Amino acid sequence: MTRYFTDEHEWIDVDGGQATVGITDYAQGQLGDIVFVELPAIGAAVTKGGEAAVVESVKAASDVYAPVSGTVTAANDALGDDPSLVNSAPEGEGWFFKLTLADAGELEGLMDAAAYQAFVASL
Amino acid sequence: MSTPGILDLSWKATKMSDQNIPAEDGIDEILNLPLDAWHRAKGARMVPFAGYTMPIQYEGIIAEHRWTRDQAGLFDVSHMGQLIVSGEDDGVAVDDALEALLPGDIKGLAEGKMRYSLLLNDEGGALDDLMITRTPTGFYVVVNGAVKWEDIGHLREYLPDEITLNHLEDRALLALQGPKAVNALERVVPGVSRLCFMEADMFIWGEDPLWISRSGYTGEDGFEISVPADHVERLADALCAQPEVKPIGLGARDSLRLEAGLPLYGHDLDETIDPIEADLGFAVSKRRRMDGGFMGAGPVLAAIANGVSRKRVGLHVEGKMPVREGALLFSGAEQVGRVTSGGHSPSLDRPIAMGFVATALAQPGTPLEAEVRGKRVPVIVTALPFVPHHYVRKGAAK
């Protein structure tokens, strides 16, 4: 399994044609207390760079973009009961959704962990 | 794209920052407040607000909010405008001058007492809301930071020449809010506990005169402290050394005042909204309702006599999804209003909102729907405040 990162602060774990998406620890820290997450419907088609979910902190609603195109196969229902999982475990239990990749070629250009850390350090 | 991406984390797309006012030359100059370095040393995340760089949060909005409701929170509100209005004589002229601009009973305000009031335009719309206190030598007025320069311009234009307006730019303003605020402040400035809600007096702290009122904008008991800017860091340190006190940012200030049902100027109140629509009729004193004689009196008294077409109301939101400023409100297919403030209530752990609706639908219990990202969310009109006020009023058992 390989983890990639986007410059929109999403992470994506890729295992064959399947992927899991969430937001990074840096992103949750910047957003602050998460109080609501709107997840895509199972079966929904998402497009690389397009809106896929919405994460709401106390202060603001922010879009979460799809890191790659694909079809949503699962959404993390645990976030409905406890959206603060995004704060406490952003890169684990606080995952957002899973999808089937439409085009593995879209992974090219995403960052690995070292590149993302350097990117965050530059902000 | 309807909402900012999570890359846009600078709050620039959120309502906290849209009160930023450009300087008159059009250059967006963001100024620092006297406690700027102090906030940064305390770990604050700083954002532009009302023309200043201000702390949005320290440890987190929800934790800071709950700390204020349980203990005592220290807020830096030095961006607000502190004004002194005074006359040359025994004060009669200044009373008259202020009553020509404000709908409140200024003449009936005793020394050391304060009152909520509004600056109105000719149409009865609110140019700002403010707190006014009679002092031994005139009046102390605190106005909103985002519009203080416009307020000063308005006052200079309409106050007679013999009335003096001083802008206390060399003073900072702190608010200490919460049920333990009185315990903490009494230890630092002995004697403050004798003040009741909406009373103010001068206290000496070391060698510095502090102007302290028992007031605030969180719904909790608490105090507001005007202090020379040169000494505000020392006072903030002395207050934060008390076990009940933590510094609290703008984020929690907004969620606290929303729970308390208090309007935020520029959002729930503006120059197109009159006091009756805003459910602030209490600010139009009884004598002034009979006699008028204040700017905007015609439209405001007509609104009292004839009623208004819309009212500010509270909204309980069903489910967990926040309904925020700008969301349209519907009754069936008909658009009947708009949300002017909304978000997550840390005290109630649910979304709450405030907005304007058609008067016929303003009764508590009325079911409506809010539109959020194309979806309809059920809301119910509810009485304000969402969280009861805990003011220490005169004559009440302490």
Side-chain angles (χ1 to χ4, degrees):
Chain A
M1 189 166 69
T2 311
R3 175 167 293 195
Y4 300 91
F5 296 85
T6 74
D7 60 7
E8 295 282 358
H9 306 281
E10 289 101 12
W11 57 263
I12 174 168
D13 275 345
V14 181
D15 191 0
Q18 301 297 310
T20 306
V21 176
I23 71 169
T24 66
D25 186 54
Y26 174 80
Q28 71 78 22
Q30 292 292 304
L31 289 166
D33 300 316
I34 304 300
V35 297
F36 183 78
V37 179
E38 185 173 305
L39 295 167
I42 292 169
V46 295
T47 313
K48 181 180 169 92
E51 295 164 28
V54 177
V55 58
E56 300 214 27
S57 69
V58 178
K59 279 315 305 161
S62 305
D63 278 330
V64 175
Y65 303 116
V68 294
S69 305
T71 303
V72 175
T73 56
N76 188 358
D77 292 333
L79 300 183
D81 294 329
D82 185 7
S84 72
L85 279 173
V86 179
N87 292 119
S88 58
E91 302 190 22
E93 282 180 80
W95 61 277
F96 277 40
F97 58 90
K98 296 177 190 287
L99 53 73
T100 305
L101 265 61
D103 175 7
E106 288 182 345
L107 296 168
E108 282 180 36
L110 298 182
M111 288 177 270
D112 63 14
Y116 178 69
Q117 280 192 354
F119 170 67
V120 165
S122 74
L123 296 176
Chain B
M1 307 259 168
S2 54
T3 44
I6 52 176
L7 185 64
D8 299 325
L9 299 170
S10 61
W11 303 95
K12 65 186 176 223
T14 76
K15 69 174 184 171
M16 293 302 290
S17 60
D18 63 11
Q19 288 192 9
N20 295 341
I21 46 162
E24 279 176 53
D25 57 5
I27 296 168
D28 208 349
E29 188 185 8
I30 306 293
L31 304 173
N32 286 347
L33 291 169
L35 278 180
D36 190 83
W38 187 90
H39 293 307
R40 292 174 196 274
K42 294 279 183 192
R45 180 175 304 158
M46 304 296 282
V47 298
F49 178 77
Y52 295 92
T53 302
M54 296 189 64
I56 184 88
Q57 65 169 66
Y58 302 83
E59 61 178 305
I61 294 173
I62 291 177
E64 291 168 33
H65 179 114
R66 290 182 175 153
W67 184 267
T68 305
R69 288 262 183 259
D70 288 344
Q71 300 283 328
L74 182 67
F75 301 79
D76 180 11
V77 289
S78 301
H79 63 301
M80 300 185 84
Q82 300 181 68
L83 312 176
I84 297 284
V85 183
S86 55
E88 289 168 356
D89 59 4
D90 58 3
V92 174
V94 70
D95 286 25
D96 284 336
L98 284 167
E99 285 211 344
L101 299 179
L102 304 173
D105 182 1
I106 305 303
K107 291 176 181 172
L109 196 58
E111 190 177 313
K113 304 283 187 186
M114 67 194 292
R115 176 182 292 276
Y116 175 84
S117 195
L118 297 152
L119 271 184
L120 301 177
N121 62 22
D122 279 326
E123 289 76 47
L127 298 170
D128 199 3
D129 59 349
L130 55 85
M131 288 287 184
I132 180 166
T133 313
R134 187 188 293 274
T135 73
T137 55
F139 291 91
Y140 170 68
V141 180
V142 177
V143 300
N144 279 301
V147 288
K148 65 182 174 185
W149 301 109
E150 290 88 338
D151 291 351
I152 289 167
H154 178 82
L155 290 167
R156 288 239 160 92
E157 183 173 356
Y158 292 103
L159 286 174
D161 291 343
E162 63 270 25
I163 303 298
T164 305
L165 177 67
N166 281 311
H167 182 198
L168 305 179
E169 292 189 86
D170 57 350
R171 292 187 81 87
L173 190 63
L174 299 178
L176 187 68
Q177 300 281 295
K180 305 284 179 63
V182 63
N183 309 73
L185 188 60
E186 179 69 28
R187 235 175 276 129
V188 177
V189 186
V192 294
S193 59
R194 69 177 163 76
L195 295 175
C196 290
F197 182 57
M198 299 297 263
E199 290 182 347
D201 204 350
M202 186 76 81
F203 293 83
I204 302 298
W205 176 64
E207 295 182 353
D208 290 318
L210 304 178
W211 181 255
I212 300 180
S213 61
R214 196 155 193 173
S215 57
Y217 222 60
T218 59
E220 295 300 325
D221 182 26
F223 298 84
E224 291 171 298
I225 308 160
S226 174
V227 52
D230 291 347
H231 298 143
V232 63
E233 193 163 320
R234 204 158 51 86
L235 180 60
D237 279 336
L239 293 170
C240 281
Q242 307 306 311
E244 302 92 344
V245 179
K246 285 185 180 182
I248 308 296
L250 284 175
R253 182 170 158 79
D254 192 46
S255 53
L256 288 159
R257 70 92 201 163
L258 177 60
E259 287 182 352
L262 301 171
L264 179 61
Y265 192 81
H267 302 265
D268 312 298
L269 190 60
D270 65 35
E271 61 191 23
T272 70
I273 298 168
D274 73 44
I276 309 308
E277 293 172 315
D279 201 21
L280 300 171
F282 71 90
V284 186
S285 301
K286 194 174 168 190
R287 177 174 59 80
R288 310 305 307 280
R289 291 181 183 218
M290 316 242 270
D291 300 345
F294 55 90
M295 191 177 286
V300 168
L301 298 185
I304 292 171
N306 306 328
V308 289
S309 61
R310 58 178 180 170
K311 276 277 188 188
R312 182 172 65 95
V313 298
L315 299 164
H316 260 307
V317 180
E318 286 188 22
K320 286 196 162 184
M321 185 165 71
V323 172
R324 299 184 189 272
E325 181 176 7
L328 299 178
L329 295 166
F330 292 87
S331 177
E334 189 188 358
Q335 188 194 320
V336 294
R338 194 173 70 87
V339 170
T340 50
S341 277
H344 179 78
S345 161
S347 300
L348 305 175
D349 195 23
R350 59 178 298 173
I352 56 173
M354 215 186 267
F356 284 81
V357 300
T359 302
L361 299 167
Q363 288 74 28
T366 305
L368 300 173
E369 287 180 316
E371 192 175 275
V372 180
R373 295 188 288 272
K375 287 191 279 285
R376 293 289 184 91
V377 181
V379 301
I380 296 171
V381 175
T382 185
L384 296 172
F386 296 99
V387 172
H389 296 162
H390 294 110
Y391 303 138
V392 176
R393 293 181 190 278
K394 192 162 197 144
K398 287 191 185 177

